[in-house]
Amino acid sequence: MARAPTKHGRDEAVDFQGVLSDLQDWELSFKGKDKKVKAQASHKEPLVSSSKKTETDGKDRKPAGHSSTKDYLSSSMPYEYSRNYDSITRLSTSSISEDSFADAASEKESGNEYFKQKKFKEAIDCYSRSIALSPTAVAYANRAMAYLKVKRFQDAEDDCSEALNMDDRYIKAYSRRATARKELGKLKECLEDAEFALRLEPQNQEIKKQYSEAKSLYEKLILHKTSTALGNTIEKMQKVEKTDAKVNSHKVQPVTRTNTIQKTEVPVSQDYIKPVTSSIQKTEVPVAQDYTKRKQVASKQELWESVQELASRVASKVMVETAKDISPPTSAYQFEVSWRRLSGDHALQARLLKTISPEALPQIFKNALTVPVLVDIVKCIASFFSEEMDLAVSFLENLTKVPRFSILVMCLTSTDKADLVKIWNEVFSSKATPLEYAEKLDSMRSKYCIKK
């Protein structure tokens, strides 16, 4: 495959290599001359020819600060040589580094040209060479796009993850990874990527469309799983109900008042029996039918209760599975995704928070911490403060070290400030708080803009 034309920087590198070779040859010749100078000095032979002398009042002028011309040559020439050699070496190294960067950029541009021509395999090769020379988030994301075109979805997902490791606010990497994950059947992760991309750029129509599609697909998946589970449960209950009906039909016989009276001998005249019997026959009460109806009503009620119980079990199972998936986040994006997923359950949110080392908070959030997340974290810390005071105080201290923290607390709403004041007074600075922790928390009031 044809490579892009090499740039002028490569020619400069070759020229510098030639200069270095000339310097090495000059160094060897200089060493030979230096040996001759030393030999002449040992025999006390004149070192400097008459052409090198200057006449001033009939005397030779010697360079200032040197006892002889020999000393001047032996001290200055190696210094000049080493100085020039080092400067040229640094210049050549810098040129080679710039040349590598130029090559990486040219390879990326070549990849873009191939991509425009729909030569995706050639584009992938160019992007790969660019990454090998100088890896960048853009090169990884561009190669991921090429992978999507040739349906290498797992490679595309991996490249997007690499791009996000280098730049966790790169919208295109989130969008392309969402596409790859949709094709891989990872609908939940696809929705999370699309949602975060939309939060970064709310007015982007293309990302809005991608988010809507991802949300629709994920909701259909959940609905399908739920309906399947409910259908299986209802089918099982109907089978049980039919079995119960058969058993009850054998045990219960239709009983009427006329049958009972016919079996009972009443010592009265036949004239009296006939009208009474006829009236009773008209008011027969189908006891078995009433029993069946009551049974059906009870079965429906039981079915509804079973459905509710099933829904509760499904929710519990989801929470359990979610708890199993809790792992330490390494970026603000990962934290927010996990945090929102556990919304409403402070115990699980506390568990997520405890997977993080407090000292790692500034590195995780960088400039991406938001006011709502900050307030939620403080509320969560308050939920386990009484049990693990040392850990809670450490979290509060390290939150203040997150970049832009002072700006965030200035943006707190009046409601948020009221919540923090209440938490500080009732939880962090309560009478039950040991003195050593109470002093630290009081000193942090000003950082959180909380007045006493």
Side-chain angles (χ1 to χ4, degrees):
M1 176 179 36
R3 291 176 57 133
T6 57
K7 295 189 177 293
H8 183 63
R10 179 169 297 175
D11 296 334
E12 289 182 351
V14 174
D15 292 341
F16 278 114
Q17 291 296 332
V19 172
L20 291 177
S21 298
D22 293 341
L23 283 172
Q24 290 174 352
D25 294 338
W26 179 76
E27 180 185 14
L28 292 174
S29 65
F30 173 76
K31 287 181 179 178
K33 291 180 180 179
D34 189 41
K35 289 180 181 178
K36 290 181 181 180
V37 170
K38 290 180 179 180
Q40 291 174 359
S42 63
H43 291 86
K44 297 183 179 180
E45 294 177 356
L47 178 64
V48 183
S49 64
S50 58
S51 61
K52 297 292 183 179
K53 298 179 181 178
T54 58
E55 296 182 0
T56 305
D57 297 333
K59 297 181 180 179
D60 295 338
R61 177 173 291 179
K62 300 173 184 177
H66 295 273
S67 60
S68 66
T69 307
K70 179 191 72 172
D71 295 337
Y72 172 72
L73 288 174
S74 61
S75 62
S76 65
M77 292 184 70
Y79 168 74
E80 294 293 333
Y81 159 72
S82 62
R83 183 176 66 183
N84 293 335
Y85 183 84
D86 291 342
S87 63
I88 293 175
T89 301
R90 288 193 297 271
L91 186 60
S92 64
T93 303
S94 174
S95 175
I96 293 171
S97 175
E98 291 176 359
D99 183 56
S100 299
F101 180 78
D103 281 346
S106 65
E107 289 289 358
K108 181 174 70 67
E109 291 302 323
S110 298
N112 293 343
E113 290 299 323
Y114 279 124
F115 188 89
K116 291 177 183 178
Q117 299 171 18
K118 297 186 178 181
K119 296 180 180 180
F120 303 120
K121 293 183 179 179
E122 290 82 353
I124 290 171
D125 291 337
C126 289
Y127 292 137
S128 298
R129 285 193 292 271
S130 177
I131 290 170
L133 289 167
S134 179
T136 62
V138 175
Y140 274 116
N142 286 2
R143 190 172 70 173
M145 190 64 186
Y147 278 142
L148 289 175
K149 295 295 184 181
V150 296
K151 301 186 184 301
R152 292 171 60 176
F153 302 118
Q154 186 59 58
D155 290 330
E157 181 189 13
D158 294 340
D159 268 8
C160 288
S161 297
E162 288 294 335
L164 291 171
N165 286 336
M166 302 178 78
D167 181 3
D168 63 355
R169 313 288 288 182
Y170 193 10
I171 297 173
K172 288 184 178 179
Y174 284 118
S175 177
R176 291 169 188 176
R177 191 169 69 174
T179 301
R181 287 177 166 178
K182 181 185 75 172
E183 298 296 336
L184 292 170
K186 301 177 180 180
L187 298 181
K188 180 181 178 183
E189 292 81 358
C190 167
L191 177 60
E192 290 172 351
D193 280 341
E195 182 181 1
F196 201 78
L198 186 61
R199 291 184 62 194
L200 292 174
E201 197 169 319
Q203 303 305 321
N204 191 313
Q205 296 300 321
E206 185 178 349
I207 292 178
K208 279 185 178 180
K209 181 179 178 182
Q210 185 181 37
Y211 172 73
S212 298
E213 291 176 353
K215 185 178 180 181
S216 176
L217 288 172
Y218 185 63
E219 287 176 350
K220 286 180 180 178
L221 176 65
I222 295 298
L223 181 62
H224 174 71
K225 289 183 177 180
T226 305
S227 61
T228 301
L230 289 174
N232 292 336
T233 302
I234 291 172
E235 185 178 353
K236 290 179 180 179
M237 295 188 66
Q238 286 176 343
K239 289 181 179 179
V240 172
E241 185 179 354
K242 288 179 180 179
T243 303
D244 291 343
K246 288 181 180 179
V247 172
N248 292 328
S249 64
H250 290 293
K251 290 182 178 180
V252 180
Q253 296 293 333
V255 180
T256 62
R257 295 182 185 275
T258 52
N259 291 338
T260 305
I261 291 174
Q262 286 175 354
K263 292 178 182 179
T264 306
E265 295 181 359
V266 183
V268 291
S269 64
Q270 295 295 327
D271 294 336
Y272 176 79
I273 291 176
K274 286 181 181 181
V276 172
T277 304
S278 61
S279 64
I280 291 175
Q281 288 175 347
K282 291 179 181 180
T283 59
E284 291 180 352
V285 180
V287 178
Q289 292 180 6
D290 289 346
Y291 176 80
T292 304
K293 288 182 180 180
R294 288 196 300 271
K295 183 66 176 177
Q296 290 176 349
V297 172
S299 297
K300 289 181 180 180
Q301 182 65 26
E302 290 175 359
L303 178 62
W304 173 245
E305 292 175 356
S306 299
V307 170
Q308 288 182 318
E309 183 181 358
L310 176 63
S312 177
R313 288 179 181 177
V314 170
S316 300
K317 186 175 181 180
V318 169
M319 294 304 293
V320 170
E321 293 299 322
T322 301
K324 291 180 181 178
D325 294 338
I326 292 177
S327 57
T330 57
S331 67
Y333 162 73
Q334 292 181 0
F335 181 87
E336 288 191 35
V337 167
S338 300
W339 192 262
R340 289 196 305 274
R341 191 175 66 207
L342 304 175
S343 178
D345 193 321
H346 287 300
L348 290 179
Q349 285 184 328
R351 181 175 172 183
L352 171 65
L353 198 60
K354 290 177 184 179
T355 62
I356 305 171
S357 171
E359 292 76 14
L361 289 174
Q363 182 62 29
I364 290 174
F365 286 109
K366 297 180 181 177
N367 293 322
L369 182 62
T370 60
V371 171
V373 174
L374 172 62
V375 175
D376 282 349
I377 290 176
V378 174
K379 289 179 179 179
C380 182
I381 292 172
S383 69
F384 64 84
F385 174 76
S386 59
E387 299 173 357
E388 300 175 79
M389 290 187 184
D390 188 51
L391 182 63
V393 172
S394 182
F395 272 119
L396 292 172
E397 286 178 334
N398 283 279
L399 277 173
T400 63
K401 300 176 184 178
V402 173
R404 298 174 57 250
F405 175 82
S406 57
I407 298 175
L408 290 175
V409 294
M410 290 174 62
C411 297
L412 290 171
T413 65
S414 57
T415 303
D416 292 334
K417 288 182 180 179
D419 289 341
L420 292 183
V421 169
K422 184 177 181 181
I423 290 172
W424 230 271
N425 292 336
E426 296 182 2
V427 180
F428 297 153
S429 298
S430 66
K431 295 180 179 179
T433 304
L435 183 61
E436 56 178 319
Y437 296 119
E439 291 177 350
K440 290 182 179 179
L441 291 166
D442 282 340
S443 66
M444 279 191 278
R445 279 180 176 269
S446 59
K447 294 181 179 179
Y448 282 86
C449 293
I450 300 173
K451 297 180 180 179
K452 290 186 178 181

